[in-house]
Structure formats: structure tokens, C-alpha cells
Amino acid sequence: MPRLLPGTSPETDLYALTDDELSLGRPAVEVAKALLDSGIKILQYREKEKKAGQMLKECMELRRLTREAGACFIVNDHVDIAILCEADGIHVGQEDLPVEAVRRLVGPDMVIGLSTHSPEQARAAVASGADYIGVGPIYPTQTKKDVCAAVTLDYLDWVAANITLPFVAIGGIKRHNIADVIAHGARCCALVSEFVSAPDIPARVAEVRAAMKKECFYR
């Protein structure tokens, strides 16, 4: 399958993440299937409170579903699980294993994403060989317990003007503010609670895409 990187084509406009705690009691696999059926082409498995065995089991199933959907499957933090389930990518944070070390473990073909919160971190990500960066949190968010302060749209403006790597905007992005994020240069937006907490996930994805004014996105 070709490498699908954030914001590099119209189909990679949205980046979805799992979160069992916000999914209205639905298991990650059920939520993921609804997201994939809605046309999501980048899906990250991000579960912080589960045992490794359960995470591997779920990731193996999500790997099967994403292959069937032609979607990119990314595992958050857990390099060992990403390797074992043959994920397309791994996403790490500033305090996780450095990109250079992750590359030694996963080889040349797996996508590596790195969260960044400042111009210095973005420049370092480029130098490290990351394939894409996360830019955020744009707005305050409670979906991560160890999240830093919001970087605001100013950092997004800087990345859009100065970084050539693909990037995904993340953090507090909802239907009501996603158009602003797009206006500041984002070509891919990550949403967590807005998707997984929706009773009707396909309808919510459609609403978000309408709010993005997708028809004007790639003129």
C-alpha cells in the first residue's frame, strides 16, 4: 500500500485517534470500524491505560481492518506493538524514544511521526528523519493527561510557513473551530473526542468535513 502521510492528498485531510475512555462504552475496534467506514484514511491507536496483551490483540484486528480499507494504521508510543502487528507507522512524543532510535528498530519503511510544540522541536524533527510531525495542542484539550499548554494558531502559522514535512494539527479541534485551523495552513486535522464520543460517527465525520469546506481545500 502506498504511504499515506497527513495532508498530502484530499483523502488524508482527517486523522482519527482511538480513546476507549471517551467512546461511550464502545470498544476500540467498533469505533475504528465506524471511522474507517466513514472514509478516514489515517487511524492512530492511542490507548494509555491498557495492558500490552490487550493492546496487541486490538492492534492486530485494527491492522486487518485498515488493510481492508486501504488506510494507514499508526500505533502511538509502543514501538514493539507497532512492529508485531505490522503497522504502517509509529507516533512518538518528545519524551519517548528519539526518532533515530525508533528508526533503528522499525527499519526504513515504517512511517514515524513526532509530536512537536515549538519551532525548535519542529526543526529538530526534520533533522531527525521524522516522516511527519504533529503540531499542537492548538487549543486546550483534556484528551491527554500529560498534555502541555496550548501552542495556539501562532505555532501552526510558523510551521505552515517554514516546515516542508507533512504535518497534522491536533488538540481541541472541533466542528466549530476546524475552519480556522484550515485557514491557518493545516491540510490535515486530528480529532479525538469529536469523533469517538459521537453517537453517530459517520454523521459526525460528514459534519466535520462539511465544516472544513472540503470542496475548497485543494484548489
Side-chain angles (χ1 to χ4, degrees):
M1 189 184 80
R3 286 157 60 98
L4 296 174
L5 294 173
T8 56
S9 65
E11 67 181 355
T12 58
D13 56 348
L14 291 173
Y15 185 128
L17 296 84
T18 69
D19 190 323
D20 260 16
E21 292 185 1
L22 301 174
S23 295
L24 308 182
R26 297 168 295 191
V29 172
E30 178 183 334
V31 170
K33 188 174 189 309
L35 288 164
L36 294 168
D37 288 347
S38 304
I40 295 294
K41 291 299 181 182
I42 304 179
L43 176 70
Q44 184 188 127
Y45 179 84
R46 188 176 77 180
E47 301 293 342
K48 300 290 189 178
E49 309 296 333
K50 295 182 177 180
K51 301 293 187 182
Q54 183 182 3
M55 287 194 289
L56 178 59
K57 182 178 179 180
E58 290 180 342
C59 283
M60 294 294 285
E61 180 62 15
L62 294 188
R63 170 69 289 187
R64 182 185 68 80
L65 291 173
T66 50
R67 278 202 178 111
E68 291 175 355
C72 178
F73 179 48
I74 295 173
V75 175
N76 181 263
D77 290 352
H78 297 277
V79 181
D80 51 350
I81 291 176
I83 293 170
L84 288 169
C85 75
E86 300 181 356
D88 298 301
I90 177 78
H91 189 95
V92 293
Q94 289 292 320
E95 297 181 350
D96 297 320
L97 289 174
V99 169
E100 296 91 341
V102 174
R103 181 63 70 197
R104 290 173 61 189
L105 292 171
V106 303
D109 297 327
M110 189 177 287
V111 170
I112 301 177
L114 177 64
S115 297
T116 70
H117 319 296
S118 69
E120 294 75 23
Q121 291 177 356
R123 291 191 189 99
V126 174
S128 73
D131 294 294
Y132 76 90
I133 61 171
V135 176
I138 303 298
Y139 304 107
T141 177
Q142 281 75 51
T143 60
K144 284 188 71 178
K145 296 176 182 177
D146 56 348
V147 69
C148 67
V151 299
T152 77
L153 293 166
D154 290 343
Y155 177 47
L156 177 60
D157 288 338
W158 186 90
V159 170
N162 293 279
I163 298 297
T164 58
L165 278 183
F167 65 90
V168 53
I170 187 169
I173 300 173
K174 312 283 186 184
R175 284 167 292 173
H176 71 270
N177 59 26
I178 197 167
D180 291 335
V181 180
I182 298 300
H184 283 262
R187 290 293 173 264
C188 179
C189 295
L191 294 87
V192 188
S193 60
E194 188 77 344
F195 285 157
V196 304
S197 297
D200 187 336
I201 290 174
R204 179 61 50 82
V205 172
E207 290 168 1
V208 168
R209 282 205 160 115
M212 294 170 80
K213 297 181 172 61
K214 187 175 171 64
E215 66 275 10
C216 301
F217 203 9
Y218 284 93
R219 286 183 175 173

